[in-house]
Amino acid sequence: MIPLNLLQEISEKYSTPGYIYDAEKIRENCTKITRAFTRHYPSTVVHFAVKANSCPAVLKIIAETGLSADCSSPFELLLANKCGFEKSKIMYTGNYESPQDLAFATEYASIINLDDITSLKRLTSFKVPEVVSFRINPGIGRGGFEGVVTGGVDAKFGVPYEQAFKAYQDAYDLGVRRFGIHMMTGSNNLEPLFFAEITEKLMHVAGDVFSRLGVAPEYIDIGGGFGIPYSNAESEIDIEKVAELVSSRFIENCKKYHFQTPILRIEPGRYITGNAGILLSRVTGKKTGYRNYTGLDAGMNSLLRPALYGAFHRIEAPFKKETPLVKTNLCGRICENSDIFARDILLPDLEEGDLVLFRDCGAYGFTMSSNYNGRPLPSEIVVDRGKVTYVRKKETPQEMLKKHFKEQES
Ligand code: LLP
């Protein structure tokens, strides 16, 4: 936890809105999930899902702890490469991959999880890879919100499991003999049994496909999805239990299908950085009308989750303890009425310039921010054992203008 007096200091020195990440918490999360899984199944490889947090200093910390990376775009590949992940530790999992995406993935990643049978055709038009892996939709999925359910009949991702054999047979017919298999069925799940259930499902698909082909997979990837509590009513995911249940189903099925110790891959994003980041913002205006509104310099352009999913974040005004609590609607400055972080929230009576803190913003915070309404991207700061070690300043309107014209020239 970053001490409040340091946050106050940071807020005075750097402009808001800004994301602040706790380096030690990130290291702790990396260690916790890696230890839990490797204790039960030593051949586990943990890939950080870069889409959750793309801050270069954060990626460097994660690479230093020994984790691998999972990327979903050419930019994420370049970033992972620059931040210390060797090619052997970079995996690519996209969807509806363009030939350009696949060319980048071939250059920067050692493993590609293909989203579809047609993706294999696009890839092999310029290169037949040594190892082929498909993202399988196992027919089930679950997530914190409808928008983050990525498996099941309504998900746009992956090869339906009924078509899995055909997908691998196509690759086999091209001469490929080394295989992996992948799934990602949903995000922000807190229930250990769910992970056991999806593992069992994928193992059966793998068992069927690879026994029929007469080969064994080199790796089996169960994706990410390990949730974090956002409210006081939720508790932390029992990651030990998840690892124990997943590994036991994994090992049992490896025996059943005669797979010789394949690598078990997992791809946590939120679990690694979610609770290690906060968003600091300042009040820019207050209004009393049909309802009371408190407007902030952060908006749906800085933190999209509440507007997009109705996501809840704990919001505090920790520097304003002495005043009585009042009800307000906390919003940003974007010209959309979904730009409301919380309705009827009880907070100290805030004034212009006061600081507001959003908890658990280390995943899908900055990476989902935008320049909408011509607003700058927020700043990013890393605090490492009490020291401010990295600062990306908030963009200025002039820098945004420059970027805009550069894009037009190229
Ligand atoms: N692997 C793949 C292929 C993914 O698509 C994702 C996330 C992950 C791993 C990491 O999932 P995690 O462990 O973080 O749940 N924007 C949403 C979350 C969308 C997740 C999309 N895929 C949110 O703010 O809750």
Side-chain angles (χ1 to χ4, degrees):
M1 273 289 239
I2 304 167
L4 282 182
N5 57 347
L6 185 56
L7 288 182
Q8 178 107 50
E9 238 175 73
I10 290 172
S11 73
E12 279 157 18
K13 210 159 159 203
Y14 308 104
S15 53
T16 54
Y19 282 93
I20 305 174
Y21 310 116
D22 180 346
E24 275 296 88
K25 190 80 198 159
I26 294 170
R27 292 189 188 102
E28 188 188 310
N29 293 339
C30 290
T31 309
K32 229 161 123 182
I33 196 163
T34 307
R35 282 213 183 125
F37 272 88
T38 51
R39 194 182 348 259
H40 294 284
Y41 191 73
S43 302
T44 305
V45 176
V46 184
H47 293 255
F48 174 64
V50 175
K51 57 176 78 68
N53 190 311
S54 62
C55 174
V58 166
L59 292 176
K60 278 183 195 154
I61 290 165
I62 294 171
E64 277 160 18
T65 67
L67 257 63
S68 298
D70 176 52
C71 300
S72 64
S73 64
F75 173 69
E76 285 183 6
L77 285 165
L78 291 177
L79 198 60
N81 169 272
K82 203 167 166 80
C83 293
F85 293 96
E86 284 163 22
K87 183 172 180 179
S88 61
K89 290 189 155 195
I90 299 179
M91 177 161 80
Y92 187 82
T93 315
N95 60 101
Y96 305 88
E97 312 92 329
S98 69
Q100 191 207 20
D101 292 342
L102 293 166
F104 263 95
T106 304
E107 188 173 348
Y108 289 97
S110 57
I111 300 169
I112 306 175
N113 297 308
L114 295 165
D115 185 51
D116 191 36
I117 301 184
T118 57
S119 312
L120 179 68
K121 287 206 185 93
R122 288 195 292 282
L123 175 61
T124 51
S125 67
F126 61 92
K127 183 174 167 125
V128 177
E130 268 182 41
V131 185
V132 163
S133 167
F134 287 99
R135 175 175 183 162
I136 301 300
N137 181 338
I140 49 171
R142 193 188 293 175
F145 315 102
E146 205 186 310
V148 300
V149 177
T150 53
V153 291
D154 287 320
K156 66 165 178 152
F157 304 94
V159 177
Y161 72 94
E162 298 90 338
Q163 297 172 18
F165 178 70
K166 162 90 177 94
Y168 283 95
Q169 194 175 34
D170 280 2
Y172 192 92
D173 291 346
L174 288 166
V176 178
R177 294 294 179 269
R178 296 174 58 199
F179 299 101
I181 190 165
H182 173 278
M183 71 175 165
M184 168 68 199
T185 62
S187 190
N188 204 26
N189 289 299
L190 290 163
E191 175 50 56
L193 263 177
F194 172 70
F195 294 94
E197 201 185 316
I198 55 171
T199 302
E200 183 80 31
K201 192 87 209 254
L202 186 66
M203 293 306 287
H204 290 322
V205 177
D208 174 57
V209 167
F210 297 120
S211 335
R212 283 163 75 186
L213 279 180
V215 292
E218 292 189 7
Y219 74 85
I220 296 173
D221 185 331
I222 64 160
F226 313 99
I228 59 164
Y230 281 93
S231 76
N232 292 337
E234 293 170 319
S235 346
E236 223 181 278
I237 185 172
D238 186 345
I239 205 69
E240 275 294 330
K241 192 86 206 154
V242 174
E244 185 195 322
L245 292 175
V246 165
S247 306
S248 72
R249 303 287 180 103
F250 190 83
I251 293 164
E252 265 168 38
N253 281 293
C254 282
K255 277 197 195 121
K256 180 171 165 190
Y257 296 113
H258 311 290
F259 297 162
Q260 306 279 332
T261 336
I263 292 169
L264 166 63
R265 296 189 193 276
I266 58 170
E267 302 166 4
R270 193 186 316 267
Y271 186 87
I272 302 293
T273 56
N275 66 1
I278 57 156
L279 174 65
L280 259 195
S281 175
R282 271 186 205 283
V283 175
T284 53
K286 272 179 77 174
K287 185 185 290 178
T288 311
Y290 298 120
R291 312 246 187 281
N292 292 336
Y293 290 96
T294 304
L296 301 176
D297 59 6
M300 64 192 282
N301 57 312
S302 345
L303 176 67
L304 183 60
R305 305 187 72 253
L308 187 61
Y309 312 115
F312 175 87
H313 282 263
R314 279 173 284 216
I315 303 172
E316 298 157 23
F319 307 104
K320 199 78 189 187
K321 283 228 165 73
E322 69 286 0
T323 60
L325 299 181
V326 292
K327 260 190 192 170
T328 191
N329 293 294
L330 206 59
C331 60
R333 292 172 295 171
I334 297 299
C335 307
E336 303 253 0
N337 212 34
S338 50
D339 185 26
I340 295 181
F341 289 119
R343 290 186 191 272
D344 285 335
I345 181 175
L346 269 175
L347 284 173
D349 198 6
L350 295 167
E351 293 160 65
E352 287 173 27
D354 280 345
L355 286 168
V356 172
L357 184 160
F358 293 73
R359 296 253 168 233
D360 307 308
C361 290
Y364 308 108
F366 183 89
T367 52
M368 291 176 79
S369 66
S370 76
N371 284 130
Y372 187 38
N373 269 202
R375 291 292 179 189
L377 296 181
S379 61
E380 288 192 294
I381 291 164
V382 174
V383 175
D384 197 353
R385 288 161 282 206
K387 265 176 83 183
V388 178
T389 62
Y390 173 89
V391 179
R392 190 219 319 265
K393 288 191 182 144
K394 189 176 86 176
E395 285 178 306
T396 63
Q398 289 80 1
E399 282 162 356
M400 285 169 62
L401 195 69
K402 241 185 177 168
K403 203 168 80 177
H404 213 62
F405 279 96
K406 229 191 232 164
E407 278 161 10
Q408 280 192 1
E409 279 162 19
S410 61

